[in-house]
Amino acid sequence: MPAPVNLAQAVPVDGWMARLGRRLWAPRCLVCREPAAGRFDLCARCEAGLPWMPPACLSCAMPLLPAPTRRADAVGAATAATALPAGARAASTRVAAVAAPAGGGAGLPELCSACRHATPPLSEVHAAFLYGFPLDRLLPRFKFHRDLAGGRLLAQAMAAAFCGHLRPDALVPIPLHRSRLRQRGYNQALELARPLGRMLALPVRPELLLRTRRTAPQSRLDADARAGNLRDAFEVPARAAPPPHVALVDDVMTTGATLHAAADALFDAGADRVDAWICARAP
Ligand SMILES: [Zn+2]
Ligand SMILES: [Zn+2]
């Protein structure tokens, strides 16, 4: 009987095949294709450049200070994360090394001056990032070209940024109108909300909100036209009862008109508090 072939000896672990395999299948940065450094599927340079949200207005998520990232505050984010599920905790630790938590820092007001003089419908708005490089690559690829690996990375980052916030009873993704959903094939807000809900152990309830009117793309309108464009665009189905505290989930916030219209529909249906958790805040 022939002796069994020992593959470990036949192909040395550091032989040319192993080196070729490592080169071919090594994880690559989702932005620039350089070798990934192990966190978030990004290379060290792209990860260091992530535009994490500095302390921001609780109502509109605009930065309160044009200050650079406040690394010292990150300790607080890691501490808050210890009471959370393992996935969220791991994600939070990754953020803690590079960024401050969102929200007002010590000595800062919680609202910007514009929001102090208005009464916006949302209780709290949190964005993980300011829109900029590399979000301007990752988000459009995810939204329009089905880059689901990019979507996973963004949901991981959102979980890390939001795990210390007051927990809502449900996450509700901003819905697409059914005709746009047919065109695109998926709703990017739902694709962010699902993994985010899993990581933070929060229920995801897309059935609580419908988009009943097909609206013009918001990006082509000014602020006043955006608000008018969305009037009565959302509806809570007749038999659905939203829980008291809901957090809306969306990819990008620009003026907030979409979120405000969605929040109005949820309040009309009986919600007491509506927050918004956004991936990136456009300036
Ligand atoms: Zn890179
Ligand atoms: Zn504000």
Side-chain angles (χ1 to χ4, degrees), residues 57 59-60 112 115:
C57 172
S59 195
C60 67
C112 70
C115 290

XYZ file of all heavy atoms in Angstrom, residues 57 59-60 112 115, ligand 2:
31
model
N -24.492 69.222 16.398
C -25.813 69.625 16.871
C -26.723 68.396 16.951
O -26.790 67.605 16.009
C -26.391 70.661 15.902
S -28.113 71.075 16.259
N -29.795 68.263 16.785
C -31.034 68.395 16.035
C -30.818 68.328 14.524
O -31.690 67.871 13.798
C -31.694 69.722 16.412
O -33.011 69.727 15.992
N -29.667 68.798 14.044
C -29.450 68.803 12.591
C -28.152 68.091 12.206
O -27.847 67.990 11.012
C -29.444 70.232 12.049
S -28.036 71.209 12.613
N -27.134 73.801 17.616
C -26.547 74.948 16.925
C -27.514 76.127 17.066
O -28.670 75.956 17.470
C -26.300 74.609 15.456
S -27.805 74.439 14.486
N -30.907 75.781 15.236
C -31.869 74.843 15.829
C -32.404 75.350 17.165
O -33.504 74.975 17.576
C -31.245 73.457 15.979
S -30.973 72.649 14.389
Zn -28.631 72.338 14.460
